[in-house]
Amino acid sequence: MKHILKLRNFIHPYLWQSILALIMLTAVVFVDLAIPRLIEQIIDQGITQKNPGVVLSTTLLMLGLTLLSTLLAIGNNLLSVRVGEGFGRDLRQAMFLKIQTFSFGNLDRMKTGQLMVRLTSDIMMMERIVRIFIRIGTRAPLLMIGSILLMISTSPNLAFSIFPILLITAIILVVFITHTQPMYLEVQRRLDGLNTVLQENIAGVRVVKAFTRADYETQRFSENNREYTDRAIGVMQFSALLNPSLSLMINLGIILVIWIGGLQSINGGLSLGQIVAFTNYLLTTMTPLVIMSNLAQTLAAANASAERINVVMETQPDIPMHAGAISLPKNNAGRVVFEGVCFSYDGEGSQPVLEDINLVAEPSETVAILGSTGSGKTTLVNLIPRFYDVTCGQIAIDGIDIRQIQPESLLAQIGIALQETVLFSGTVRDNIRYGHPEAGEDEVIWAAKAAQAHGFIMALPEQYDTHVEQRGVNLSGGQKQRIAIARALLIQPKVLILDDSTSSVDVETESKIQEALDRIMRGRTSFIVAQRISTVLNADKVIVLDHGHLVAIGTHETLIRTSPIYQEIYESQLGDGLNLQQLHEGRGYDGTAG
């Protein structure tokens, strides 16, 4: 239970409720143990002695104790539900908050499907074990110990004669518990894989259909489904062996009691009532073992779930909060400096994604980043808000190493439109002001207009109150990107990062967005990751990355003359028929004003 015990702090807020529930449960146990003694009294002093008064009074006493036991059991159940659900709510909340602290690196290693299983089925299993423990966790051992003591007090010889049966039953139980936990852990691991495939398939169903890969995905799901089912069948089949084994032991015990007890009764050593009471105590002793066997199954599954929960709870964010971290002044200039920066996703010693990056972005400058796919463009801009920490070197804003800045303070000064556009369920307005919930209507409209989103938003059925469906499926790719840009602009950042955020819009719309951004970027340091070379023509600096190295830096006019890679990108997109002077003057591909 070591993994379960690591989560014991979550039960502390409900300690007194738990104690009260266990006191009620203990009282129920005492009532249960008293019933066989009363039955013995009815038989030996009432029925055998033909005394109806004893039968009536004892029966009424049994009825009263049964009603009391029922009320106590109801109170115990109500409290167990309250404690179990409260425990699960707090644990779920704590895990959700923990996940919010994860860096991109943590999330890269933990798949969405795995986290979903931990937040749902694993925590539900923990809720269940808490409820079961409060309801029967102490009842089973108390019943067993009490019944054994009462059996000894009833007939020591008969009690010791059935101890071998109890010992064998205990051994069966220990063997079962020892073997079930790793089996349940493997079942949960297979469930992880199944959920990951399911999550990927549902999220990417449009790609699956577009490339007619339904058969492949069905086969992949079937394989994972079969592996999970096989493991689940294995553990269930093993579990199914336990109850018949315990039933065999119970029946053997009853046979021994009747045989040995019957012989003693014939010889005058035991009364009929004592034999009946002893048989009841034997059943009361064996019943907890059956209860504990079922509890062992749940306990094994819960321990496996607790282990997986603890993996999440004990994971340390890759981006630590340094002691003495400071807040970034709100009136900062926004000067961004890369000094000897290198980065690898797997840390030092692994294949670097970026190497020896030296770059200065002066306040109000626009820095455009070009390069082939995989050259490290997105990785470079992801280092500025500390989504990842540099492997070597440093990044500074206004002379302060970003590792010495409080993460919330750093991100408050940075507006980001990520390469992968993510919208949330809610209205268009809610998505635009996601980073600035207090923004007024005028501010929202200003940001939307700057991102060239206001026009299409006003054409939506409910305009800014239009509901955005899951993952924004009721919007086009270009519309989602423009909402993401508006979201980034609304917080009025000192540093603006646009990571290929206009890739899904047409050239005309991109040109309008660029014109608006040229005005908005004044007073802001901007980084624009671009695939289209037309996007970078007016940038103050254009940097070209190649296999993680900064191979060229300068203005468009400089690079078109000096950088072979830049010339190659330019040639592949615009060809050599376009007049450079026209580009410089902001004219379109056909020579008309763009």
Side-chain angles (χ1 to χ4, degrees):
M1 290 179 59
K2 64 178 181 178
H3 299 296
I4 294 175
L5 291 176
K6 286 183 179 180
L7 301 173
R8 62 185 179 274
N9 287 338
F10 290 96
I11 206 73
H12 285 170
Y14 311 97
L15 186 59
W16 288 109
Q17 296 179 55
S18 303
I19 292 173
L20 179 58
L22 293 176
I23 290 173
M24 291 180 175
L25 187 63
T26 304
V28 171
V29 170
F30 279 110
V31 172
D32 291 343
L33 292 175
I35 296 298
R37 275 284 182 258
L38 296 176
I39 294 174
E40 178 187 343
Q41 182 176 320
I42 289 175
I43 294 174
D44 289 345
Q45 299 178 26
I47 297 174
T48 305
Q49 301 298 323
K50 301 185 185 302
N51 187 339
V54 171
V55 173
L56 179 61
S57 61
T58 308
T59 302
L60 289 175
L61 178 59
M62 288 176 62
L63 179 60
L65 289 175
T66 301
L67 290 174
L68 176 62
S69 175
T70 301
L71 292 174
L72 291 170
I74 290 173
N76 171 269
N77 287 339
L78 292 176
L79 286 172
S80 69
V81 169
R82 195 174 189 84
V83 172
E85 293 301 317
F87 170 89
R89 178 197 61 204
D90 294 348
L91 180 57
R92 193 179 299 112
Q93 183 76 12
M95 186 181 292
F96 182 83
L97 292 175
K98 180 69 175 181
I99 292 172
Q100 304 311 302
T101 69
F102 285 176
S103 66
F104 278 30
N106 296 121
L107 296 172
D108 290 341
R109 291 187 291 273
M110 288 190 179
K111 297 180 180 178
T112 303
Q114 295 175 342
L115 292 174
M116 290 298 294
V117 170
R118 284 157 174 75
L119 275 165
T120 52
S121 64
D122 282 338
I123 289 182
M124 288 173 64
M125 179 57 69
M126 295 305 302
E127 292 175 357
R128 183 182 176 195
I129 197 64
V130 169
R131 291 196 304 267
I132 289 176
F133 179 79
I134 292 176
R135 288 178 184 175
I136 64 174
T138 55
R139 183 181 184 182
L142 286 175
L143 272 177
M144 186 169 62
I145 294 170
S147 297
I148 291 174
L149 292 175
L150 289 169
M151 278 194 297
I152 294 173
S153 70
T154 302
S155 174
N157 291 334
L158 191 55
F160 287 117
S161 67
I162 66 165
F163 273 1
I165 297 293
L166 297 177
L167 181 61
I168 293 172
T169 305
I171 292 172
I172 292 173
L173 191 61
V174 170
V175 170
F176 171 78
I177 293 173
T178 304
H179 283 78
T180 49
Q181 182 170 333
M183 296 174 72
Y184 273 110
L185 191 60
E186 180 63 19
V187 168
Q188 292 294 88
R189 193 178 70 82
R190 298 292 180 178
L191 182 61
D192 260 356
L194 182 64
N195 276 281
T196 297
V197 172
L198 182 62
Q199 187 270 334
E200 289 177 348
N201 185 266
I202 292 175
V205 65
R206 288 168 177 76
V207 177
V208 173
K209 288 184 176 295
F211 288 90
T212 62
R213 296 287 282 171
D215 291 341
Y216 168 77
E217 291 297 330
T218 300
Q219 180 182 357
R220 193 161 71 108
F221 182 82
S222 297
E223 289 174 356
N224 281 271
N225 195 21
R226 185 181 65 252
E227 290 175 356
Y228 166 71
T229 304
D230 290 344
R231 294 298 188 280
I233 289 174
V235 72
M236 294 303 173
Q237 287 178 336
F238 182 76
S239 301
L241 298 175
L242 183 64
N243 283 340
S245 302
L246 292 178
S247 296
L248 174 63
M249 293 297 104
I250 290 173
N251 291 328
L252 287 176
I254 293 173
I255 292 170
L256 278 176
V257 169
I258 293 174
W259 177 40
I260 299 173
L263 291 177
Q264 291 183 10
S265 180
I266 292 172
N267 295 325
L270 283 176
S271 68
L272 183 60
Q274 286 178 311
I275 293 176
V276 173
F278 193 96
T279 303
N280 275 289
Y281 284 130
L282 173 62
L283 291 174
T284 307
T285 303
M286 300 297 279
T287 300
L289 291 176
V290 177
I291 293 174
M292 290 169 67
S293 70
N294 294 327
L295 180 61
Q297 297 181 47
T298 307
L299 192 63
N303 204 42
S305 291
E307 182 178 1
R308 291 143 50 85
I309 290 171
N310 284 319
V311 168
V312 177
M313 298 300 290
E314 294 171 0
T315 297
Q316 295 301 314
D318 290 342
I319 308 301
M321 170 73 83
H322 289 274
I326 62 174
S327 294
L328 192 64
K330 291 187 177 180
N331 59 348
N332 65 303
R335 186 174 189 264
V336 181
V337 179
F338 286 70
E339 295 181 0
V341 168
C342 58
F343 175 75
S344 171
Y345 284 105
D346 297 320
E348 293 185 16
S350 57
Q351 181 66 32
V353 179
L354 295 172
E355 288 188 86
D356 196 27
I357 303 296
N358 292 283
L359 170 66
V360 177
E362 298 292 349
S364 301
E365 271 192 343
T366 296
V367 178
I369 305 169
L370 285 176
S372 59
T373 301
S375 60
K377 303 185 298 297
T378 294
T379 301
L380 180 73
V381 294
N382 279 342
L383 295 177
I384 300 171
R386 273 194 88 194
F387 290 157
Y388 301 92
D389 258 347
V390 298
T391 306
C392 63
Q394 76 166 16
I395 301 172
I397 294 181
D398 294 335
I400 306 171
D401 189 329
I402 61 173
R403 288 169 293 191
Q404 303 301 324
I405 301 173
Q406 294 174 359
E408 295 81 3
S409 173
L410 176 65
L411 292 171
Q413 299 293 318
I414 299 176
I416 309 167
L418 296 171
Q419 185 179 38
E420 181 182 355
T421 303
V422 177
L423 299 183
F424 298 92
S425 297
T427 65
V428 171
R429 181 186 294 101
D430 293 337
N431 274 276
I432 292 176
R433 62 183 184 187
Y434 187 78
H436 184 20
E438 302 83 13
E441 190 70 11
D442 291 342
E443 294 174 283
V444 172
I445 293 174
W446 168 83
K449 287 181 175 179
Q452 296 300 307
H454 180 72
F456 84 78
I457 291 174
M458 296 303 291
L460 294 174
E462 297 180 60
Q463 300 177 354
Y464 283 87
D465 291 317
T466 300
H467 185 75
V468 177
E469 301 295 339
Q470 186 180 17
R471 299 190 306 276
V473 294
N474 56 330
L475 299 172
S476 70
Q479 289 172 336
K480 288 189 286 187
Q481 282 192 330
R482 280 176 275 174
I483 290 176
I485 294 172
R487 181 169 59 194
L489 295 175
L490 185 62
I491 67 172
Q492 298 283 354
K494 274 295 182 179
V495 178
L496 179 65
I497 298 173
L498 302 179
D499 184 3
D500 201 16
S501 55
T502 57
S503 59
S504 297
V505 302
D506 58 81
V507 175
E508 182 180 356
T509 301
E510 182 188 30
S511 176
K512 292 178 180 178
I513 293 174
Q514 194 61 50
E515 288 177 9
L517 289 178
D518 286 343
R519 296 190 300 271
I520 294 168
M521 287 175 181
R522 294 168 190 161
R524 294 181 175 86
T525 308
S526 304
F527 293 84
I528 302 177
V529 176
Q531 297 291 343
R532 296 174 183 161
I533 204 165
S534 58
T535 307
V536 310
L537 298 180
N538 296 324
D540 298 299
K541 282 178 185 169
V542 179
I543 68 170
V544 182
L545 294 176
D546 184 42
H547 295 93
H549 293 85
L550 200 162
V551 295
I553 183 169
T555 62
H556 163 71
E557 290 82 356
T558 301
L559 296 181
I560 199 66
R561 296 192 305 270
T562 61
S563 172
I565 293 180
Y566 187 83
Q567 291 169 1
E568 183 180 340
I569 297 172
Y570 173 84
E571 186 74 21
S572 66
Q573 292 190 22
L574 302 182
D576 58 0
L578 186 62
N579 185 283
L580 182 59
Q581 183 63 31
Q582 289 178 337
L583 283 174
H584 184 63
E585 293 174 354
R587 295 183 176 275
Y589 299 159
D590 59 358
T592 60

